[in-house]
């Protein structure tokens, strides 16, 4: 009796080349979600998920009064609350770049070709 194993189709770790390409694609993007002083509330997380589903590659803007350590903490918090096929690409200043890896037939950005 053959056991059907579900294979993870999504990349667990992006290569540095893939991250660099995604950063270059995100360069011109404006932040679509702004995190307020209350931090990552359920509503903000829901908006981030909706933005990722729609755009695949988005920028999130952190509050203006956050110091470097707080920005790093928020970036780590984002990593923990995102879906398994989502990636935090990087942070530049107050902007965090996020990428949602979709099924190849639905993807606008093809990771394999990066």
């Amino acid at each position: 009796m053959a056991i059907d194993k579900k294979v993870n189709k999504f990349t667990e770790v992006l290569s540095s080349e893939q991250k660099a390409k995604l950063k270059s694609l995100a360069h011109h993007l404006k932040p679509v979600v702004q995190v307020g002083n209350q931090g990552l509330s359920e509503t903000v997380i829901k908006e981030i998920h909706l933005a990722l589903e729609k755009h695949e590659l988005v920028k999130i803007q952190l509050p203006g009064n956050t110091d470097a350590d707080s920005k790093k903490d928020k970036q780590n918090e984002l990593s923990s609350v995102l879906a398994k096929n989502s990636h935090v690409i990087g942070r530049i200043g107050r902007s965090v770049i996020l990428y949602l890896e979709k099924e190849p037939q639905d993807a606008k950005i093809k990771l394999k070709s990066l």
Side-chain angles (χ1 to χ4, degrees), residues 27-96:
H27 178 75
H28 74 283
L29 298 177
K30 301 280 187 221
V32 293
V33 177
Q34 293 184 350
V35 178
N37 290 331
Q38 292 78 24
L40 293 170
S41 65
E42 269 188 55
T43 308
V44 172
I45 292 168
K46 193 180 295 184
E47 286 301 315
I48 291 170
H49 283 288
L50 288 173
L52 282 169
E53 282 294 327
K54 184 173 182 181
H55 301 289
E56 285 185 52
L57 186 66
V58 296
K59 277 187 184 175
I60 307 300
Q61 189 170 14
L62 301 175
N65 59 352
T66 51
D67 59 14
D69 289 336
S70 296
K71 291 175 193 173
K72 184 100 171 133
D73 292 343
K74 292 256 191 267
Q75 181 179 340
N76 292 337
E77 190 178 347
L78 271 170
S79 295
S80 66
V81 298
L82 292 174
K84 295 246 186 263
N85 55 333
S86 299
H87 303 278
V88 177
I89 302 304
R91 179 180 54 84
I92 301 170
R94 296 186 303 140
S95 297
V96 179

Side-chain angles (χ1 to χ4, degrees), residues 9-22:
K9 300 176 199 164
F10 300 111
T11 310
E12 291 199 23
V13 179
L14 298 177
S15 69
S16 58
E17 292 85 14
Q18 289 171 323
K19 283 186 177 185
K21 183 64 176 171
L22 289 168

Side-chain angles (χ1 to χ4, degrees), residues 91-110:
R91 179 180 54 84
I92 301 170
R94 296 186 303 140
S95 297
V96 179
I97 302 167
L98 305 174
Y99 171 69
L100 175 71
E101 189 175 354
K102 291 187 174 183
E103 295 286 340
Q105 66 272 17
D106 299 331
K108 296 175 191 170
I109 302 170
K110 308 285 188 206

